[in-house]
Amino acid sequence: MTIQWFPGHMAKARREVTEKLKFVDIVIELVDARLPLSSRNPMMDEIVQQKPRLVILNKGDLADPRENQKWRQYFENKGFAAVIVNSHEGKGINQIIPACKTVLKEKRERQQARGIKPQPIRAMIIGIPNVGKSTLMNRLVKKNIARTGNKPGVTKSQQWLKAGTDMDLLDTPGILWPKFEDQEMGRKLAVTGAIKDNLLHLDDLTLYALEFLGKHYPEDLKKRYQLTDEDLALPTVEQLLLITKKRGFRDDYDRASAMIIQEIRNGMVGRFTLDRYDEMRDELDD
């Protein structure tokens, strides 16, 4: 399964991010806590460069809590402030502005020493599609201003929003890189919904997800789909056939695949993290 997706508005957004960077004090980089590394756009490091940054691991409620802590520590070890939030329910949102103030503390103290009156923090929010940028911004500004949708590609233009008196936010469209050199990364992104489903073969994606969950979260998988240890020992194709029949879909494997993927994304199978820190440690640059 080869996954590639780079709509034209994303190329334009990348240019706009570069142009607008000089107008902001800090970059808020939003990643999906279920895949904190795979949901980072590697182009952002070269675009953002030395601009102060806060990494937000969003959808922390859907991710493995043990992995959440490992990945937060990873980002902090790299020199970034990092917080874990659930923007859908608003949990952890109150950490964001204080974290930004901490990152910018020295700069703001220098400005005050020069007699410059404190201004609202100007922040740019960046991230790949479907990591929850619009939901997060709506929480911060306490209004439903930014468009939201549980699908990639909802935000297609930049807009400034006020988060009270403390922060002005610049939203940007989700930006993916032009192609995935690592197809494993592409599959992970597809499982969480960062790539439009009509670009995928959902049955292939479901087999990948079943294999992953069977390896790392077998008890959750068994509980959700009433499977036994013997069932999990079967090839994933046979597991899919079994779940299809258990759900009363007869031979409609496409329908069963769509259901399974949606339930995985919504956390109905349990909390999971696709980027396993211990397994990826060798390729990380701590």
Side-chain angles (χ1 to χ4, degrees):
M1 178 174 58
T2 300
I3 301 171
Q4 306 222 2
W5 184 48
F6 196 59
H9 78 267
M10 290 187 181
K12 179 182 177 184
R14 184 174 61 181
R15 292 193 299 271
E16 290 178 346
V17 167
T18 304
E19 293 167 1
K20 299 286 187 181
L21 201 60
K22 60 189 174 185
F23 299 117
V24 301
D25 303 308
I26 188 170
V27 169
I28 297 175
E29 182 182 6
L30 200 58
V31 300
D32 189 322
R34 295 168 295 179
L35 55 169
L37 200 64
S38 297
S39 61
R40 295 189 74 213
N41 187 327
M43 291 189 301
M44 286 298 102
D45 280 340
E46 63 181 78
I47 293 173
V48 175
Q49 295 183 10
Q50 300 305 312
K51 183 69 71 172
R53 198 180 323 185
L54 170 67
V55 177
I56 297 180
L57 291 89
N58 194 25
K59 306 187 182 183
D61 59 309
L62 297 176
D64 185 329
R66 295 163 297 184
E67 294 292 320
N68 280 347
Q69 299 307 321
K70 291 178 183 179
W71 283 110
R72 179 168 63 179
Q73 188 62 55
Y74 163 75
F75 287 116
E76 289 177 350
N77 290 345
K78 287 182 68 68
F80 302 137
V83 297
I84 301 168
V85 308
N86 167 7
S87 60
H88 182 69
E89 296 181 358
K91 294 179 180 177
I93 298 298
N94 59 359
Q95 302 176 64
I96 295 174
I97 292 178
C100 288
K101 288 181 176 179
T102 298
V103 173
L104 297 171
K105 185 171 183 279
E106 292 184 8
K107 177 182 177 181
R108 290 165 73 84
E109 286 176 347
R110 288 196 302 269
Q111 289 176 335
Q112 286 182 314
R114 290 160 51 197
I116 300 174
K117 184 179 178 180
Q119 299 293 320
I121 294 170
R122 294 167 300 175
M124 175 189 290
I125 296 184
I126 60 174
I128 70 167
N130 207 34
V131 290
K133 293 187 306 302
S134 296
T135 301
L136 173 67
M137 294 189 72
N138 287 339
R139 286 287 181 182
L140 287 170
V141 302
K142 297 184 170 80
K143 294 180 182 178
N144 290 325
I145 295 177
R147 293 177 59 203
T148 64
N150 190 22
K151 60 182 179 179
V154 169
T155 305
K156 294 189 178 180
S157 62
Q158 294 176 332
Q159 54 183 329
W160 282 98
L161 301 172
K162 292 193 73 66
T165 59
D166 290 316
M167 180 179 284
D168 292 335
L169 296 170
L170 177 63
D171 187 23
T172 57
I175 307 172
L176 280 174
W177 45 104
K179 62 179 180 178
F180 306 111
E181 300 294 346
D182 181 356
Q183 288 300 310
E184 176 79 4
M185 182 183 295
R187 284 188 284 266
K188 290 179 180 180
L189 289 164
V191 167
T192 59
I195 299 168
K196 290 181 178 178
D197 287 340
N198 60 8
L199 300 173
L200 311 167
H201 297 294
L202 275 184
D203 52 348
D204 289 342
L205 188 61
T206 301
L207 295 177
Y208 168 79
L210 288 174
E211 182 177 2
F212 174 86
L213 292 172
K215 177 180 179 182
H216 295 286
Y217 303 97
E219 295 306 315
D220 290 340
L221 193 60
K222 286 193 297 183
K223 182 178 180 181
R224 181 64 190 173
Y225 298 112
Q226 300 177 342
L227 302 175
T228 65
D229 289 331
E230 291 74 18
D231 295 334
L232 285 191
L234 296 171
T236 51
V237 172
E238 294 188 34
Q239 292 177 28
L240 176 57
L241 303 185
L242 189 59
I243 295 171
T244 301
K245 288 182 171 55
K246 281 179 176 289
R247 287 300 177 94
F249 294 159
R250 297 193 179 185
D251 297 327
D252 194 346
Y253 308 122
D254 289 339
R255 184 182 171 196
S257 295
M259 174 207 68
I260 293 169
I261 288 297
Q262 201 58 46
E263 290 189 350
I264 290 172
R265 288 174 181 167
N266 292 340
M268 297 170 70
V269 183
R271 299 175 66 168
F272 68 93
T273 298
L274 291 160
D275 282 348
R276 313 293 295 175
Y277 178 80
D278 291 339
E279 294 178 5
M280 302 179 74
R281 187 178 297 172
D282 290 343
E283 57 191 272
L284 297 175
D285 181 21
D286 283 314

